[in-house]
Amino acid sequence: MMEILKLLLAILATVLIGYSVLQSVLNGREGYTLSEKASLSFGLGIGLVAFEMILFSILGWGFNLTFLALCWLPFFAYALYITVKQSGSGRENKAGASAFKGSKIYKIIFFIMSLQIVSIFLRALSKPIESYDGIINFGIKAKIFLASNAVPLIPEAFEGIGRGHMDYPILIPLIETWIYKFIGSYNDQLVKIIFPLVFVAFIVTFYHATRRFYNRRYALLFSFFLCTVPQIANYATIGYADLTFTFFVTMSFIFLFRYFAEEDNSCLIIASLLSGFSFLAKNEAVSFAFANLVVIAIFILRQKSKLTQIKRVVGCYVIPLVIVTAGWVLIKGKLGFVNTDIDITALTMKRLGENISYIPFFLNKFQQEIFGPKKWNILWILVFSGVILRHRRFREFPGKLIGIFMLVNVVVYFTANMIYMGSNLYFHINTTLSRFMIHFSGVATFMMAYLFWEDLKGLAFFKEGENE
Amino acid sequence: MHIFKTRLFQICLLIWLVLWVIFFFRENKDGEYKDFFVLAGKNLEGKRAYLMGEGFYGFVNFCSQNTPPEARYKFAGLGPMKIEEVRAIYHLWPRRAVEENFEYIFVYDAKGFSEEGFFMLKDFNGSSYVLKRK
């Protein structure tokens, strides 16, 4: 019982850290509901805690919970000041549940989403960490960090822990360590609560972000799609980093998209922080960060005041991104961890030819993913239908940027597979393609919402406040 | 056109809901629902034992109890980097699973396995045991 209370305290502390920074960044801006702030705060919180733990390790301070928490005190004080000021003036935006009132189908949708979320919590918490990557790339590193009370900066500390990927980023093991420190014991069953919480945060944040562009019913429907994709739900239970990574890259892009529409600097800062945290979660962050920079560059080229935009982007996007990622890059360099799967300097024409010969297999596997409903329901069929039937919507701005963002990522992922240097590309594609597709699922669903809006907005299903 | 769009949308939503129901309630190949109910009645140790297999978990604990935390070992009798070995490495840490300069060999289910320069330190069940460098 005591362990569970401490676990709740750990979650609360994570949310509060995220909330402190979020409120400071928003600096009194209106239009954010409590659930939106709470879910985004959790996402930001896990990133900030991981960033802080990396920093503490570099400085040789060790993981002292009091010090780790005290560092956020200035942000917390400022956030409290902003919150009190906002509640005094009644500026806090209230959620509008009335949009769903009296609608049977929305009651069903809410019920299914609730059932899905409850099942994910039960499934995740029914087992300790036991999946392959959950152990070898994350769980065992968390054990090392807990025992060392820091990220040990000597490679020998990571000796003899199996043939996992040493260069994999350490956000997940760090958050697991953070939870262990709070609950005061090594309980790798309770620690798995992180993953369903990330799932909930992802769905809620996605709903609110989508709601800003469309109406509530429309946003709920697409959040429902995302929530009920079996593959995404599975990855919220097994202790992998892919869902957390997807949360970061999806929300980073959507906040960037919001910046293109609203030119609000706070969106740019949040997008930057989330993109930075994605580097702490998975190496694939390079692709999404590059795609972000490409769309930012296109956006700047369209602006009259290019210099002002460049200054904004450097100050609010590039600098926070560099600060967040620098610590991990430093640790990786110090430990000498390199990616053994992709090494362009070792690439030969023979190897490239071998990899290219796998393209038919790759395409076959890809079509199985798209048309097979077991993992994805009909998500990708709908996404590709939208792309084919409504491709003209990509000509409009800023919708064009969603298409470019997706295209850049697809090209980078495909190229990375073609220059893959691991032992067996067949095995690699077989085991990772469906996982890679999770990374794209959030932005793809957002893109689908964008493509179909003009067709669907007139349907009675999406008219708010009317009984069905 | 409006009716067509409405019907098409309803069909897509219906397909989505039906597929969701099927794949939500259908037992997956790993027998997750069966596991869920079995695990519900077990404590954390019991869960670990169930997931690793009672016999193997018992052996891993046996190795842990009979070797010091700084021990360097390798496995014999397990396929390299199978999920069982990965789970055992995780459970046995801070003992280090190494390819060379190991002082112990944890032999699992491989009766008669021996290696020059090693002696039987502890026997688990006749076919699983711990060897130590002389």
Side-chain angles (χ1 to χ4, degrees):
Chain A
M1 190 61 195
M2 203 57 199
E3 263 192 343
I4 291 173
L5 284 176
K6 286 176 182 171
L7 176 71
L8 294 176
L9 193 65
I11 295 163
L12 183 69
T14 314
V15 172
L16 276 179
I17 289 170
Y19 182 76
S20 304
V21 172
L22 178 66
Q23 278 288 74
S24 306
V25 171
L26 293 177
N27 199 17
R29 282 174 178 80
E30 295 176 59
Y32 287 82
T33 65
L34 188 64
S35 61
E36 184 174 15
K37 279 184 181 171
S39 54
L40 193 53
S41 295
F42 181 74
L44 286 171
I46 56 174
L48 290 164
V49 166
F51 163 70
E52 187 188 23
M53 290 170 98
I54 286 173
L55 205 64
F56 269 48
S57 300
I58 292 170
L59 297 170
W61 289 354
F63 297 154
N64 181 309
L65 278 184
T66 314
F67 287 137
L68 283 167
L70 279 177
C71 280
W72 301 106
L73 213 56
F75 285 99
F76 184 71
Y78 188 65
L80 201 66
Y81 165 72
I82 296 282
T83 308
V84 169
K85 210 169 116 186
Q86 272 188 323
S87 62
S89 62
R91 282 164 63 198
E92 186 85 9
N93 193 10
K94 299 279 183 290
S98 59
F100 307 111
K101 230 175 182 176
S103 164
K104 273 183 199 154
I105 186 69
Y106 284 100
K107 280 179 186 160
I108 295 170
I109 283 178
F110 272 124
F111 174 73
I112 291 176
M113 287 173 84
S114 308
L115 198 63
Q116 181 81 300
I117 288 167
V118 169
S119 84
I120 286 170
F121 271 93
L122 291 176
R123 282 166 60 195
L125 293 172
S126 68
K127 293 175 188 175
I129 294 171
E130 47 91 39
S131 61
Y132 198 100
D133 276 27
I135 289 175
I136 204 158
N137 289 317
F138 310 122
I140 203 158
K141 287 180 187 169
K143 267 189 164 183
I144 295 171
F145 300 164
L146 186 67
S148 313
N149 203 32
V151 179
L153 299 180
I154 45 166
E156 293 76 27
F158 298 89
E159 190 199 8
I161 58 168
R163 276 166 248 165
H165 296 272
M166 287 300 136
D167 68 306
Y168 270 22
I170 52 175
L171 182 135
I172 294 297
L174 283 172
I175 296 304
E176 288 173 354
T177 310
W178 165 254
I179 302 277
Y180 292 147
K181 294 287 289 181
F182 258 94
I183 58 181
S185 67
Y186 161 72
N187 185 328
D188 62 345
Q189 181 184 0
L190 284 182
V191 81
K192 282 178 73 191
I193 200 166
I194 304 161
F195 305 100
L197 284 173
V198 167
F199 178 81
V200 174
F202 181 34
I203 301 301
V204 176
T205 317
F206 181 87
Y207 163 74
H208 286 290
T210 314
R211 185 178 63 83
R212 290 180 186 279
F213 299 96
Y214 318 105
N215 69 28
R216 288 187 172 89
R217 288 184 166 206
Y218 195 73
L220 183 75
L221 182 84
F222 284 87
S223 309
F224 162 77
F225 285 151
L226 209 52
C227 179
T228 51
V229 169
Q231 178 77 340
I232 299 175
N234 285 341
Y235 273 74
T237 67
I238 56 172
Y240 279 43
D242 297 82
L243 181 68
T244 312
F245 175 72
T246 306
F247 171 73
F248 289 142
V249 294
T250 304
M251 296 324 301
S252 171
F253 174 73
I254 296 178
F255 270 94
L256 208 53
F257 194 73
R258 267 188 66 189
Y259 173 76
F260 298 148
E262 299 169 18
E263 295 202 27
D264 178 348
N265 286 352
S266 69
C267 292
L268 205 52
I269 297 172
I270 294 168
S272 166
L273 289 175
L274 292 168
S275 180
F277 299 150
S278 72
F279 275 89
L280 309 184
K282 277 194 87 83
N283 286 331
E284 288 85 340
V286 174
S287 171
F288 284 86
F290 174 65
N292 274 357
L293 289 174
V294 169
V295 292
I296 288 173
I298 294 169
F299 172 76
I300 291 174
L301 286 174
R302 289 177 58 98
Q303 301 300 304
K304 281 180 190 156
S305 52
K306 290 184 181 58
L307 195 65
T308 314
Q309 282 295 341
I310 289 170
K311 280 180 189 167
R312 270 192 193 184
V313 166
V314 170
C316 300
Y317 188 87
V318 178
I319 291 176
L321 181 71
V322 170
I323 292 172
V324 169
T325 52
W328 168 233
V329 173
L330 207 70
I331 284 189
K332 220 162 104 166
K334 178 130 177 89
L335 290 169
F337 292 161
V338 290
N339 191 321
T340 49
D341 289 337
I342 294 172
D343 178 8
I344 201 152
T345 57
L347 187 70
T348 59
M349 285 309 284
K350 186 171 171 278
R351 179 64 197 231
L352 189 64
E354 275 174 29
N355 286 354
I356 288 171
S357 73
Y358 280 110
I359 289 178
F361 165 71
F362 176 79
L363 292 175
N364 183 37
K365 185 82 188 150
F366 191 58
Q367 67 81 19
Q368 285 174 26
E369 291 289 334
I370 290 168
F371 295 110
K374 196 175 88 178
K375 288 182 182 168
W376 296 103
N377 204 316
I378 51 169
L379 179 78
W380 295 110
I381 296 174
L382 294 177
V383 168
F384 282 101
S385 303
V387 171
I388 293 162
L389 299 172
R390 293 290 170 260
H391 60 91
R392 286 190 180 169
R393 288 221 68 202
F394 286 128
R395 290 180 192 170
E396 297 159 26
F397 197 85
K400 180 185 278 186
L401 297 181
I402 311 178
I404 293 170
F405 178 84
M406 289 296 273
L407 191 67
V408 169
N409 276 304
V410 169
V411 169
V412 173
Y413 268 62
F414 184 76
T415 310
N417 271 295
M418 287 302 106
I419 59 170
Y420 177 78
M421 295 301 295
S423 54
N424 189 339
L425 183 58
Y426 176 89
F427 176 77
H428 177 71
I429 292 171
N430 220 7
T431 51
T432 56
L433 184 63
S434 61
R435 207 184 306 170
F436 285 164
M437 287 173 77
I438 297 176
H439 307 166
F440 290 83
S441 60
V443 180
T445 308
F446 185 71
M447 179 174 79
M448 181 166 71
Y450 170 77
L451 292 171
F452 285 127
W453 173 238
E454 289 300 323
D455 293 294
L456 300 179
K457 68 180 179 187
L459 304 190
F461 192 83
F462 299 109
K463 287 194 178 143
E464 295 190 343
E466 289 177 10
N467 292 353
E468 285 185 355
Chain B
M1 194 61 184
H2 189 77
I3 292 171
F4 172 73
K5 279 181 184 174
T6 305
R7 288 280 172 266
L8 193 63
F9 171 72
Q10 285 171 340
I11 290 167
C12 287
L13 191 57
L14 188 69
I15 293 171
W16 189 286
L17 289 171
V18 170
L19 288 171
W20 179 80
V21 169
I22 293 170
F23 292 109
F24 185 80
F25 290 103
R26 199 184 74 159
E27 177 72 311
N28 68 13
K29 65 176 168 46
D30 300 324
E32 199 173 7
Y33 288 136
K34 183 184 137 257
D35 279 358
F36 180 80
F37 289 107
V38 174
L39 290 168
K42 293 182 185 291
N43 62 15
L44 190 52
E45 283 304 294
K47 286 176 190 202
R48 286 191 216 282
Y50 177 78
L51 292 165
M52 285 173 73
E54 300 279 346
F56 186 56
Y57 184 68
F59 174 66
V60 170
N61 270 337
F62 175 80
C63 296
S64 173
Q65 285 155 10
N66 288 290
T67 52
E70 65 280 5
R72 296 165 67 85
Y73 66 92
K74 78 163 188 175
F75 273 109
L78 289 175
M81 298 322 282
K82 294 264 184 204
I83 186 70
E84 290 78 16
E85 188 183 356
V86 170
R87 285 173 181 164
I89 289 171
Y90 176 58
H91 194 73
L92 285 164
W93 194 88
R95 290 159 195 82
R96 310 295 175 112
V98 290
E99 302 286 330
E100 47 197 32
N101 299 327
F102 43 87
E103 312 142 57
Y104 298 91
I105 303 175
F106 299 155
V107 183
Y108 182 68
D109 212 11
K111 197 171 184 175
F113 177 91
S114 63
E115 189 148 315
E116 203 176 329
F118 283 79
F119 70 96
M120 166 89 78
L121 179 71
K122 285 271 182 182
D123 183 19
F124 180 62
N125 62 5
S127 61
S128 303
Y129 40 88
V130 176
L131 298 179
K132 189 176 189 303
R133 195 180 286 276
K134 285 175 188 166

